[in-house]
Amino acid sequence: MAADSFSVRGNDSNGLLGNLRLDGPLLLGIALLSGFGMIVLYSAGGESTSLLIRQLIRIGLGLAIMVFLAQLPPVLYRSWAPWLFLAGLGLLVLVLLVGETGKGAQRWLNLGFVRFQPSEMMKLVVPLAIAWYLHDRGVPPRWWQVIVVLLAIAVPVALIVRQPDLGTALLVASAGFFVLFLAGLRWRYMIGGLVAAGAALPLLWAYLHEYQRQRVLTFLNPESDPLGAGYHIIQSKIAIGSGGFFGKGWTEGTQSQLQFLPERSTDFIFAVLGEEFGLLGVMVLVLLYLFLFWRGMVLALRAQDNFGRLVAGSLMLTFFVYIFVNTGMVTGLLPVVGVPLPLVSYGGTSMVTLMAGFGILMSINSHRRFMH
Amino acid sequence: MSDLHIRDQSQDRRLFIGRAVLAAVVATALLLLLVGRMFALQVVDHQHYATLADGNRVRVEPIPPTRGLIFDRNGHILAENVPTYQLELIPEQVEDIDETLDQLAELVELRDADRERFFRLLRSQRRFQPVPVRQNLSEEEVARFSVERQRFPGVDIRARLARHYPYGELTAHVVGYLGAISREDLQRIDRSRYSGTNQIGKTAIEFSYEPILHGGAGSRRVETNAQGRVIRTLDVREPAMPGDDIYLNLDVELQQTAWDAMEGQRGALVALDTRDGGVLAMVSRPSFDPNELSRGLEHETFRQLQADPARPLFDRATRGRYPPGSTVKPMLGLAGLDATDLDPDAPLRCTGEFFIDGRDRPFRDWRREGHGPTDFEKGIVESCDIYFYALAMELGINNIHRYLTHFGLGERTGIDIPGESAGLVPSRDWKRRALGESWFHGETVIAGIGQGYMLSTPLQLAKATAAMANGGELRSPRLLRGFRNAFTREFEAMDPPESHRSELLSQIQPNHWQRTIDAMVESVHGPRGTARATGMNAPYRIAGKTGTAQVFSLGEDEEYEHEEVAFHLRDHALFIAFAPAEDPRIAVAVLVEHGGGGGAVAAPRARAVMDHYLLKLEEEADNGG
């Protein structure tokens, strides 16, 4: 399109970062969070440097993907969105047919050289596709458009729940829903939807796997099964609570170091932070997240076209969902759902997806046109 | 088109800004809610969770006490504690036990017996208690497992002190061994003193002095991880009270000599210090390796030992009941001098046969042709049966019972290890009670040569011999010499057991004692003595008496031919002695099961022990200054 030939660099157009189409504050936030995360991870992983190195490699890989994606113009994402969506659906079906099993769920496609999780990709593809569908159809979306969008969310989410991977399904659904919400979904639809969802809860219950039901029951009353399913939540709360205001000190957390805390370098790393760095450390982390979140929202507000706005806003709100679902789970506010603490938890896939999301965000921000 | 697009876009934009700001505000509020939640957990309820965290990691653990050591009289160590390594598995922490065992088998040797024992214990224990997989790991196996430890959650190596007996079977019957605490043991111990301990003294000294040797458990606070592994000790709340060390009267070198003297035989040898009743040596053969038993759980070994026809677990010295045979003759001779008007110088004509009035079945002498004219001395020296048949008839069973009982036969010696037999000195009362029959004269006759119902243990014979040496002073044999307090490290000697001078024996005239002892000396050193081969070239004088105890009765005209009789029907060989005769210091009793003649088979073994005690030890003492 011709419009793209106008596109030049944004406000921060000078310097290396500008030339690389990267946003300085966003990058700073990412760096601070990953750095803080590495410090916690060193302790959580039993002071293993090899674990840190592997995490560092993933951060590096994530950054490379981020830089690469920031170079692509948003129009490219927009035009590829529907095809990526269809391809993603195809891969999800393939996973259910020939996928590899890990930790009791079928999530992986083995491409020979790399194992690949199509559901992870859908965290980005679903909001792109929905933003593509809604970006030029006028606001607020009509009822039939809403139905189309809900279907576009429901089909991949259902496929992911089948794997089963409740955490990823929740994030994909959130990402899709946020596009709809930001596009101006009418309140009356939303309220109607909530009522309908409430009515559908029993149906959903029947559809859940036994372990997922157990998680919900355990969440409602963790003490009912202190050595079984409730163990995670109880030990995690003990870790956090015993940390106090200043924490027990780096690598000094008894709950973490003596292995009472499960999954302490991945999903429950927030409890390690709470135990060893106390409320003070938690507040530092929350401030860093708020900084990153607000900066992302500012970039979304500055986006010039509807597609960019919707995608950027949805990605940042999904980022918030990561934070809230993970911390809520670890502190016993929400049921246990496998969602990592973004940029801090050990693990390759989510790190790369998050960085890719920030790359798209930076692409949207750096490809603005001058309008006077 | 372009206008519309721009208008739409501005409407989109306004709507978007409203929604985005709303969402951002809600998100921020939720994150603040999270901080509030953290405040509640970390500040408001901090104390509660801190307590829970400590409860998670801190556990109070018993400290088992170190068991006291056992030494012989010269400080040679008879029982010690050595570290061993045991591989343990906590069932509830292991997902697939079979597979885990298979993997472990690649690191440490696991025999079928180990697996069998493991599964037997697995069924009998609770899921959260560690079950031993292998014991006595080698250093190399410990190292191999330690490297791979991370692969085996719920499996760990535990170091503990195991009892070790350096002299093994040599001292097994005296020192005893340890075994797993049983239900019966639990009835008689204070459980709090035993927390953390899983073995207890089962026999002999280890059993008798259990309270002294064991000490008491302490407790410490330890930090554990989620698998219950102890990471470190936080503090000791109450230190363990170690057991006291024990010193025995036993001289392990003398024990070795006695052991060697009994080589290849079934039987027992007991040597007592006549002056204080101390047990200098006490051997029962065959024996067993107490280390195998104390290592524990070797049920197969234990079953084999129990099933062994040679009965190695059976302490013949204190529990074996044998006819004393002719070894009772000095005691009965003394009784005859004291209780009857026997003239020791008046010879009795021994034809080899003895008849009771009105009966035509003879009681035979061991020498078919008889001893000819036999007086008191010759009766003992040549062990003439006919002389003692006649003397027994003179004494009557009541006197025989009375005098032998005063020498301590037929009752427990009171030695300080459990399980000794009382033996039996028959009496009219006893026979009526036990068999419901009245007493026959013939039974009195054979009681005169220590046969019939009469049974005694080698230890009883040794005690009686010591009493003979002491002019009738009876002392319970005692193994314990003293103990060393675990805290003060000071040796505290035990007083020797009080001697008990029987009224009956103490009023016997000294010249009667002298005649009897002289006869015993003559039987060892005299040219016709039954033990003359043993007395040859002895630089000190031995007072002794041989015995050859019949295991079965001969028919009237049967000839006993040693070589032709099945082993288990052969005579037992016995010998009792004390020395030096004029100033007794050691009393010895020897029994060789189915050994044959006492003079030839039993007596030389006693000589070896007495030589060691009286010559070698003396020599050493002289040389030592």
Side-chain angles (χ1 to χ4, degrees), chain B residues 12 115 194 475 522 558:
Chain B
D12 286 358
R115 286 180 192 247
Y194 279 82
R475 277 201 181 86
E522 194 63 15
E558 285 173 297

Side-chain angles (χ1 to χ4, degrees), chain B residues 65-69 81 163 178 199-201 206 210 213-214 243:
Chain B
T66 308
R67 195 174 176 86
L69 309 180
N81 306 308
R163 201 63 156 170
L178 304 186
Q199 285 195 314
I200 192 168
E206 293 274 33
E210 174 66 30
L213 288 166
H214 175 71

Side-chain angles (χ1 to χ4, degrees), chain B residues 363-397:
Chain B
F363 293 88
R364 294 180 185 280
D365 193 274
W366 61 272
R367 186 189 282 175
R368 212 183 164 93
E369 64 276 22
H371 298 270
T374 304
D375 62 2
F376 179 83
E377 183 177 72
K378 188 175 171 185
I380 288 179
V381 171
E382 296 187 20
S383 202
C384 170
D385 290 342
I386 305 301
Y387 192 89
F388 281 91
Y389 292 150
L391 181 57
M393 286 304 284
E394 278 302 304
L395 279 167
I397 189 61

